[in-house]
Amino acid sequence: MMKKAVMQFTACCLAIGISVSSLGAVAFADNGMTLAGLSEKSTVVTGSSTLAGLSETGSVATSGGAGSAAATADESTDDSTDSTDSTGSTGSTDLTESVTTVSSSAESETAQTETETETEAEAVYDTSMSGELAFAQCENYINVRSDASTDGEVVGKIYNNNSVTILGQLGDWYEVQSGNVTGYVKAEYFATGEEADTIAETVAYNVATVNAEGLWVHTDASEDSETIGMVYSSDQLEVVAYEGDWMKVVLSDGTYGYVNAWYVDYDTYYSTGETLEEESERLDEEWLEYLAESEAEQQRLDEQWLAYLAEQEAAAAAETEAATTPETASETTVTADTSSSTSLSEAEAAVDEAYQTYLEAQEAADAATQQADEQLVYDTYDEAVDAYQDYLNAVAVADELKYSSTTTDTTTTTDTTTATDTTTTTDTTAATDTTTTTDTTTDTTTTTTTETETTTTEAAQTEAAQTETEATTTSTSSSSTLGQSIANYAVQFVGNPYVYGGTSLTDGADCSGFTQSVFAHFGISISRTAASQASGGTSVSLSDIQAGDLLFYSSGGSISHVALYIGNGQIVHASTSSTGIIISSYNYRTPVCARRYWS
């Protein structure tokens, strides 16, 4: 019985991973300890030590592995093969499963704790930059998202050089507020610190708010200077310069003056981003403005066409009258007139055709606005602009031919008539010539002398006038050529996009960003905003504008738009996000002032 009991106990130990040395002595002691699968009074020890895997209280430790149990089983095979109690084996299996379950549970809990610790470390929200000003640096715009992830919903947009206030940082994302939009943006697209300070100086918008009931505006920074108007409490004026105790400001009509700085509050603003709802409203307003511009342009073209038709009618009447007058010109002159007339007719026909093409292109552009295809709107508008330019070119050719043929006809007829008169009736010529003298009996020789003297005097006067004209032209040619070069450079970007806050001539710019970048190409530095550009350079009367001059338009009492005059009553400007950079009539809206930076 004793041997059988020992063998049963050994089998149990092997089942639960307890190694029993074949050389160790096995003893039983009645100490009241309990082990699963054994009687309440059974305890196993090897030598004088408690077996590994059993605590003093009878619980099972989990330090023993399956590999160890397997090795022990191999080593103890002979001792356990005689007989095995089925009840003891089942109990050992239950204990093994219990040990495995406890071990797995502990490992799972440890892994979960580590994961939670890592997540907490990744989600640290840093507020050390809270309140700091930063500026977007991008080609077009940056999306503002609801979460610090590219999977977050887009809630707004921030354009190049727009300002943001940093609320905090989460990883490589900033939480920012810009205008009415709040959300997360990628930190890599924003300038901070000294770089942000430098940008702030160029994009700042300074405003003076009047805090007196009434405040005089002076022509100069002095109380003794002439007053040009008065502003009132709560009026806001854009400040273009701060000179000691005086501020140079822009009035509602676009003129400039000085106010005493002691009677105004001074604030600095920066352009900010917009919510998707604000963007939608802005695009709607720009579209309505575009439609108004198109209508005004169409009206101007109609008026120009009516004026052209009136000129054509007047020219036809003149030709009819000339046909009823006896011809005195030579055969050579008549032949030249016929050739010129034929070329002019062809040019006028080309004008009619070009105008009809333009009308069809404009009609297609108008129809495109009723469809949902935004790209179609851009394409048809570009075609209309090209057609209109072709029309203007045709008109220019016709006008040049008309002018050239008129000049040739007058010169040839005068020369031929004079020669005929001189040859045919010497007496008549003499009488005519001597009407300018006091001696009516002057003979042919005297007449000839008088004519020679007169001709010589007129030639000298003509040469002197020509010399004076050439000198004047030379003195202004270099500057006017630069202005035209600026205009020619600017028009090559027609069709490129309008981007609010942008300064790229190819990827997008707003009105003042467009003019700033165009002038920068010629080494001319001008300020960033339309209002501040309107205070620089040299003032030019609207009746004396030349290609390369800047024209300014007001809205709500302040400068709101700038365009570059390119000559022939036209401007090139970054108009709206719907139209991009386009060519328009300079008076599509009423300009309030003009400035020249290139002379």
Side-chain angles (χ1 to χ4, degrees), residues 584-598:
S584 304
S585 170
Y586 86 100
N587 60 354
Y588 81 100
R589 289 165 56 190
T590 302
V592 296
C593 63
R595 309 294 289 189
R596 182 173 298 163
Y597 282 89
W598 46 267

Side-chain angles (χ1 to χ4, degrees), residues 215-218 228-231 236-238 248-259 554 556-559 592:
L215 182 62
W216 286 109
V217 181
H218 295 261
I228 57 176
M230 177 174 283
V231 289
Q236 290 190 322
L237 310 170
E238 181 179 358
K248 187 177 182 180
V249 297
V250 184
L251 301 182
S252 59
D253 60 358
T255 59
Y256 296 85
Y258 290 83
V259 296
S554 65
S558 61
I559 299 296
V592 296

Side-chain angles (χ1 to χ4, degrees), residues 309-373:
L309 293 179
E311 291 177 2
Q312 292 295 100
E313 185 177 352
E319 290 178 1
T320 301
E321 183 178 355
T324 61
T325 303
E327 296 183 3
T328 59
S330 64
E331 182 178 354
T332 303
T333 303
V334 174
T335 303
D337 289 348
T338 302
S339 176
S340 298
S341 177
T342 301
S343 299
L344 181 59
S345 298
E346 293 175 351
E348 291 172 347
V351 170
D352 293 339
E353 182 179 355
Y355 184 72
Q356 187 60 40
T357 300
Y358 163 69
L359 291 179
E360 293 174 356
Q362 185 62 52
E363 183 179 354
D366 293 340
T369 63
Q370 306 301 319
Q371 303 182 33
D373 189 346

Side-chain angles (χ1 to χ4, degrees), residues 7 39 53 94 140 146 164 208 229 309 314 326 342 422 438 447 474 529 567 599:
M7 292 179 63
S39 65
D94 292 341
N140 197 345
S146 58
V164 302
L309 293 179
T342 301
T422 303
T438 57
T447 302
T474 301
T529 64
S599 63

Side-chain angles (χ1 to χ4, degrees), residues 98-254:
S98 176
V99 171
T100 303
T101 301
V102 172
S103 176
S104 299
S105 176
E107 291 176 356
S108 176
E109 184 176 354
T110 301
Q112 183 176 353
T113 302
E114 292 176 353
T115 301
E116 290 175 353
T117 302
E118 291 175 358
T119 302
E120 290 175 359
E122 292 176 358
V124 171
Y125 187 84
D126 184 5
T127 60
S128 61
M129 297 180 68
S130 180
E132 186 171 334
L133 193 67
F135 290 91
Q137 297 295 283
C138 60
E139 287 295 330
N140 197 345
Y141 63 84
I142 300 168
N143 285 323
V144 183
R145 298 185 179 274
S146 58
D147 300 303
S149 167
T150 54
D151 296 329
E153 179 186 359
V154 175
V155 296
K157 295 179 179 178
I158 296 175
Y159 297 88
N160 186 49
N161 284 334
N162 278 178
S163 66
V164 302
T165 300
I166 297 176
L167 304 178
Q169 184 170 3
L170 192 62
D172 56 356
W173 292 78
Y174 286 145
E175 184 180 17
V176 300
Q177 181 173 357
S178 182
N180 293 321
V181 60
T182 301
Y184 291 88
V185 294
K186 291 286 277 186
E188 62 186 285
Y189 296 113
F190 287 84
T192 59
E194 294 183 359
E195 184 181 0
D197 293 340
T198 302
I199 296 173
E201 294 178 0
T202 62
V203 301
Y205 186 84
N206 301 311
V207 175
T209 304
V210 179
N211 56 30
E213 291 186 5
L215 182 62
W216 286 109
V217 181
H218 295 261
T219 55
D220 295 303
S222 169
E223 293 287 357
D224 298 329
S225 63
E226 180 184 354
T227 59
I228 57 176
M230 177 174 283
V231 289
Y232 302 93
S233 178
S234 300
D235 283 353
Q236 290 190 322
L237 310 170
E238 181 179 358
V239 179
V240 296
Y242 202 154
E243 303 174 6
D245 293 336
W246 294 84
M247 292 182 184
K248 187 177 182 180
V249 297
V250 184
L251 301 182
S252 59
D253 60 358

